[in-house]
């Protein structure tokens, strides 16, 4: 077989992955971070490619290294960036990213702009080559983008500090986009000829920067919306759903960069966050976990290949024979550490105010500002182009490559020592206490199981004293009354609650919409100091938004608004049910996680309050909207039965009773039912409204034709408990009939309650204004009747007129 360059490149990919697997398999030998080992391997291979030995003995390998060294830098960006950026954004905790966005944006935009300007000034005054200001700013932009893969991996491994991880990773995601945008703008200035004074272009650069970023976001949102609509119509089709996410990431980057000439990085970040947030409940539960594992594998492959490739390119392309360049590189390395410190600590007061960043974590941010493939790819673009003299291009490539190697090798390798020195190599006290309590709880459960294990006939000769001894060494931590421990305890309970919702969603016990609401409520409770109760934000989510009221009296929109209101009631019912189940679930962990008896009592009281408040809401819905509750519970039961049917079928396959091919038809049938399972519609016809009116006490004797006309005239509205229906002295051209629920009528300091069947707002007949205020005391359904058409109906039915007159007189008395 002829080993041409294409075959050799394929073998390079395979062998790179094999080398990566070897490094991962021998952690005791390769103690340095994964990326450092791979980069050094690439450098060694690249340096070997510069020897005469390789040309004589391994000409095919020499050919491969030449092909890799000459790879198009645009291809590097297109091939690796969408995967790495999408995976990072997609696996990021969206709520934490949103919550910390102000900090992340501060570092990624003004922080990077400051770094770029300072690096440009350093290049202009320090470098001996008399670069122009435009070239200096171009270099400042490309060298300021951070790539903290190794640092984030270390943090996840040894200290579990989610906020710091999110801050570092989020900054990297956004400042890649900022750096590439700035690079493109300054590169464009070089293309049209350098300006005498860079200040002339500041307004143009600012406007271009904003438009490139905002339109990049728009591209990401548009492609994300299309993909979500597509995925939302699928059910448990992993191949299609995964293929769509891959296609979306690359299409978003390509379309943004090459068609609209905006930021591809921003487009992919936006896409990833959209799919991670809203899209999490659109993706089939059966596919979600596999999808995350798939993208983790994609990112691992990309990182493995890119670090080896970067090492080979650096070692193959840079000049090694100019001492002046090496001295300048050493000065630049020290300089960018100082500049990184200035850019972080200049914004530290603001970062503290936005999210409580302390000096120790700021030092980690400074030392964790590694440079990676983006900086090298941008430098290669300059080196391969003819806009700048070849000497300048080689200088930029040398410095960029040197900074990439030095920051990855030195900063990454010493990060563990820095974390240990700063005391950030251990879990926070609160998390450590929770972990110790959980460990003791596991020990207790294991000890309870020991008698059963010891009776096992095949374990009689086991050395049980030896096995039991380590368990007895685990002691229950002493109770402490410490604010940090209490906060960590409540946070752990809330995080357990959130995980329970995702578990219920995966099992089909919760709908996607209910899961979103419940998770959102937990994340709101986690903001600031975590609160177990009250969950007012959850109850606020159940109320009808005010903007929906604006459209309620617009012809043809009323039916849509009523449908949406019923959907909100249905959603609140499903959400309330899931919330109570979650409270019962976290109640089981209170004793095992609580740091003190007082915290246990406080947590149990909060959980009890949550359950009581939610049960009241459910009972109100059952009492006032019985048909709705029957429909919802039937739908939930049907969904759970179908999921159980599928689980039992999978058990039979696992046990070998059924072959997968035999069971596939049964499985497809169940999944088809699940995909098409929808709750009963909540539309009520005019005839049904007429029937509801006929059942009311005041309707006895009223003509059927009159009731039919009232049904056609009626406009329905739904109100959640606590919502204001109308305000005293407000203008009105309608009266209302309470169909379901209880309404509180408030006039001056007096309040009285009216129930189903009562006609309210009758004062509008006389004055066109409301006599009092009305508030929903339970979930309420009203029908509104316009006064002018109603007068014509009354003229044809005297009994209806008498009824309204009698109720009006009663309202005036009250």
């Amino acid at each position: 077989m002829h080993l041409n360059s294409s075959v050799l490149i394929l073998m390079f990919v395979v062998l790179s992955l094999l080398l990566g697997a070897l490094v991962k398999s021998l952690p005791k030998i390769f103690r340095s971070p994964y990326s450092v080992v791979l980069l050094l391997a690439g450098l060694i291979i690249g340096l070997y490619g510069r020897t005469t030995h390789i040309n004589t003995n391994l000409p095919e390998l020499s050919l491969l290294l030449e092909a890799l060294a000459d790879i198009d830098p645009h291809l590097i960006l297109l091939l690796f960036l969408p995967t790495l950026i999408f995976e990072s954004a997609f696996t990021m905790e969206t709520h934490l990213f949103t919550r910390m966005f102000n900090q992340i944006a501060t570092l990624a935009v003004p922080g990077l702009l400051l770094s770029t300007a300072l690096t440009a000034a350093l290049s202009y005054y320090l470098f001996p080559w008399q670069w122009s200001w435009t070239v200096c700013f171009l270099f400042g932009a490309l060298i300021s983008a951070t790539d903290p893969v190794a640092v984030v991996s270390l943090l996840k491994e040894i200290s579990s500090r989610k906020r710091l991880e999110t801050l570092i990773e989020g900054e990297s995601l956004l400042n890649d986009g900022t750096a590439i945008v700035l690079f493109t703008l300054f590169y464009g200035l070089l293309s049209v000829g350098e300006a005498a004074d860079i200040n002339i272009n500041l307004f143009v650069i600012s406007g271009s920067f904003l438009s490139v970023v905002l339109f990049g976001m728009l591209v990401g949102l548009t492609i994300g919306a299309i993909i979500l609509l597509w995925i939302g119509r699928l059910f448990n089709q992993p191949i299609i759903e995964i293929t769509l996410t891959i296609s979306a990431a690359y299409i978003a980057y390509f379309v943004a960069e090459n068609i609209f000439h905006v930021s591809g990085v921003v487009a992919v970040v936006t896409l990833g966050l959209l799919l991670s947030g809203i899209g999490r409940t659109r993706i089939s539960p059966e596919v979600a976990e596999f999808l995350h594992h798939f993208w983790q594998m994609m990112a691992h492959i990309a990182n493995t290949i890119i670090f080896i490739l970067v090492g080979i390119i650096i070692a193959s392309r840079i000049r090694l024979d100019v001492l002046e360049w090496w001295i300048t590189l050493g000065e630049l390395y020290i300089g960018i550490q100082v500049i990184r410190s200035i850019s972080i600590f200049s914004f530290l007061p603001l970062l503290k105010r936005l999210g409580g960043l302390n000096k120790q974590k700021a030092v980690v941010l400074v030392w964790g500002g590694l440079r990676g493939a983006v900086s090298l790819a941008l430098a290669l673009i300059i080196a391969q182009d003819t806009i700048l003299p070849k000497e300048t291009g080689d200088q930029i490539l040398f410095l960029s490559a040197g900074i990439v190697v030095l920051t990855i090798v030195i900063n990454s390798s010493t990060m563990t020592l820095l974390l240990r020195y700063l005391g950030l190599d251990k879990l926070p006290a609160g998390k450590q206490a929770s972990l110790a309590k959980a460990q003791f709880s596991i020990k207790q459960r294991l000890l309870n199981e020991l008698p059963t294990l010891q009776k096992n006939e095949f374990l009689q000769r086991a050395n049980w004293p030896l096995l039991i001894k380590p368990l007895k060494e685990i002691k229950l931590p002493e109770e402490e009354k410490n604010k940090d421990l209490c906060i960590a305890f409540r946070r752990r309970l809330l995080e357990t609650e959130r995980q329970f919702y995702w578990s219920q969603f995966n099992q089909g016990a919760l709908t996607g919409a209910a899961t979103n609401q419940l998770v959102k409520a937990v994340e709101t409770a986690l903001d600031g100091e975590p609160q177990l109760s009250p969950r007012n934000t959850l109850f606020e989510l159940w109320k009808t938004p005010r903007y929906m009221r604006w459209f309620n009296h617009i012809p043809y929109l009323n039916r849509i608004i009523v449908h949406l209101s019923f959907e909100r009631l249905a959603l609140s019912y499903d959400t309330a049910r899931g919330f109570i189940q979650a409270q019962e679930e976290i109640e089981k962990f209170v004793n095992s996680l609580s740091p003190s008896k007082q915290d246990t009592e406080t947590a149990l009281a909060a959980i009890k309050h949550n359950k009581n408040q939610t049960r009241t809401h459910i009972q109100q819905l059952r009492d006032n909207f019985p048909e709705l509750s029957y429909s919802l519970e039937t739908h939930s039961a049907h969904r759970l039965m179908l999921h159980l049917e599928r689980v039992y079928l999978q058990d039979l396959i696992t046990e070998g009773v059924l072959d997968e091919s035999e069971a596939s038809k049964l499985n497809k049938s169940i999944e088809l039912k699940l995909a098409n399972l929808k709750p009963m519609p909540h539309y009520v016809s005019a005839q049904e409204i007429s029937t509801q009116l006929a059942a009311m006490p005041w309707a006895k004797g009223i003509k059927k034709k009159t009731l039919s006309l009232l049904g056609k005239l009626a406009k329905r509205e739904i109100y959640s408990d606590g919502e204001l229906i109308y305000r005293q002295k407000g203008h009105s051209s309608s009266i209302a009939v309470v169909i379901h629920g209880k309404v509180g009528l408030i006039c001056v300091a007096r309040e009285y309650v009216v129930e189903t069947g009562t006609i309210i707002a009758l004062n509008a007949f006389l004055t066109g204004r409301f006599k009092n205020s009305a508030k929903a005391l339970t979930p309420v359904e009203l029908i509104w009747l316009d006064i002018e058409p109603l007068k014509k109906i009354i003229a044809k039915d005297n009994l209806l007129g008498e009824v309204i007159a009698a109720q009006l007189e009663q309202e005036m008395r009250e």
Side-chain angles (χ1 to χ4, degrees), residues 429-445 474-480 485 489 492 589-597 599-600:
K431 284 189 175 181
Q432 187 60 50
S434 295
L435 186 64
K437 290 276 288 185
Q439 189 179 17
F440 182 79
S441 175
I442 292 169
K443 167 205 155 181
Q444 290 299 111
R445 292 178 64 180
I474 301 172
K475 303 296 183 183
L476 178 65
E478 293 183 9
E479 286 196 359
E480 293 184 56
L485 297 182
F489 163 59
R492 183 78 70 177
F589 299 101
V590 170
N591 286 318
S592 62
L593 295 176
S594 176
S596 70
K597 185 177 180 181
D599 287 321
T600 301

Side-chain angles (χ1 to χ4, degrees), residues 664-737:
S664 62
K665 290 184 179 179
L666 291 174
N667 199 40
K668 285 180 181 177
S669 173
I670 297 168
E671 290 183 350
L672 185 62
K673 290 176 185 176
L674 276 168
N676 295 320
L677 185 62
K678 291 180 176 59
M680 293 173 62
H682 306 300
Y683 169 70
V684 178
S685 66
Q687 183 60 43
E688 288 173 306
I689 294 175
S690 301
T691 304
Q692 288 176 324
L693 292 174
M696 294 179 180
W698 53 261
K700 291 179 181 178
I702 292 178
K703 300 173 184 176
K704 285 186 177 181
K705 185 177 179 181
T706 300
L707 293 172
S708 179
L709 290 171
L710 290 176
K712 292 177 181 177
L713 180 61
K715 293 178 181 175
R716 300 166 73 215
E717 280 196 21
I718 308 297
Y719 298 87
S720 297
D721 54 306
E723 284 192 75
L724 185 70
I725 297 172
Y726 56 77
R727 196 177 300 278
Q728 187 177 13
K729 296 183 180 180
H731 289 281
S732 177
S733 59
S734 306
I735 65 171
V737 181

Side-chain angles (χ1 to χ4, degrees), residues 410-431:
I410 297 175
N411 295 40
S412 179
S413 297
T414 56
M415 181 56 73
T416 303
L417 297 175
L418 179 65
L419 291 171
R420 188 179 304 152
Y421 175 76
L422 296 172
L424 297 176
D425 61 329
K426 300 179 181 66
L427 290 173
K431 284 189 175 181

Side-chain angles (χ1 to χ4, degrees), residues 104-352:
I104 292 168
T106 299
L107 291 173
V109 182
L112 186 127
L113 291 173
L114 178 60
S115 294
T116 299
L118 292 175
T119 306
L122 178 72
S123 307
Y124 189 82
Y125 292 111
L126 177 68
F127 294 174
W129 306 309
Q130 297 182 334
W131 288 354
S132 69
W133 273 112
T134 307
V135 174
C136 289
F137 271 94
L138 183 71
F139 177 72
L142 74 87
I143 206 63
S144 296
T146 59
D147 182 14
V149 174
V151 176
V152 173
S153 298
L154 273 174
L155 284 170
K156 288 179 180 177
E157 183 180 334
I158 66 176
S159 67
S160 184
R161 296 177 185 269
K162 290 292 293 181
R163 291 175 61 84
L164 184 57
E165 292 166 24
T166 303
L167 184 58
I168 294 174
E169 198 165 10
E171 181 204 2
S172 173
L173 279 176
L174 294 190
N175 75 14
D176 276 356
T178 306
I180 292 173
V181 168
L182 288 176
F183 174 85
T184 305
L185 293 173
F186 288 118
Y187 199 61
L189 288 177
L190 283 176
S191 301
V192 297
E194 296 184 25
D197 187 351
I198 195 71
N199 293 320
I200 296 174
N201 300 293
L202 284 180
F203 288 109
V204 175
I205 289 171
S206 300
S208 299
F209 176 81
L210 287 174
S211 64
V212 164
V213 170
L214 292 175
F215 280 104
M217 288 177 62
L218 185 60
V219 170
L221 287 172
T222 303
I223 293 175
I226 294 169
I227 294 300
L228 285 180
L229 285 173
W230 194 337
I231 287 177
R233 295 179 176 274
L234 303 173
F235 186 85
N236 193 20
Q237 298 191 45
I239 294 175
I240 300 175
E241 294 179 48
I242 292 171
T243 301
L244 287 175
T245 59
I246 298 170
S247 303
Y250 280 90
I251 289 171
Y253 184 85
F254 182 84
V255 167
E257 288 285 341
N258 297 284
I259 297 180
F260 295 106
H261 304 292
V262 295
S263 175
V265 172
V266 172
V268 177
V269 169
T270 306
L271 172 70
L273 291 172
L274 186 65
L275 291 180
S276 176
I278 298 172
R280 187 165 179 182
T281 52
R282 301 292 181 89
I283 296 165
S284 302
E286 299 81 1
V287 178
E289 187 175 356
F290 179 49
L291 180 62
H292 277 275
H293 287 315
F294 172 82
W295 276 103
Q296 285 174 358
M297 188 64 204
M298 287 277 286
H300 168 74
I301 292 171
N303 274 314
T304 300
I305 294 172
I306 202 168
F307 277 111
I308 296 175
L309 182 61
V310 163
I312 291 172
I313 291 173
I314 289 172
S316 302
R317 294 287 301 271
I318 63 171
R319 291 178 59 181
L320 304 174
D321 56 345
V322 186
L323 180 62
E324 182 184 57
W325 292 13
W326 287 98
I327 295 170
T328 305
L329 174 61
E331 295 170 341
L332 177 63
Y333 174 74
I334 296 170
I336 65 166
Q337 303 307 323
V338 174
I339 288 169
R340 176 76 174 166
S341 300
I342 293 171
S343 67
I344 297 295
F345 281 93
S346 297
F347 293 101
L348 186 57
L350 177 60
L351 294 170
K352 279 183 178 179

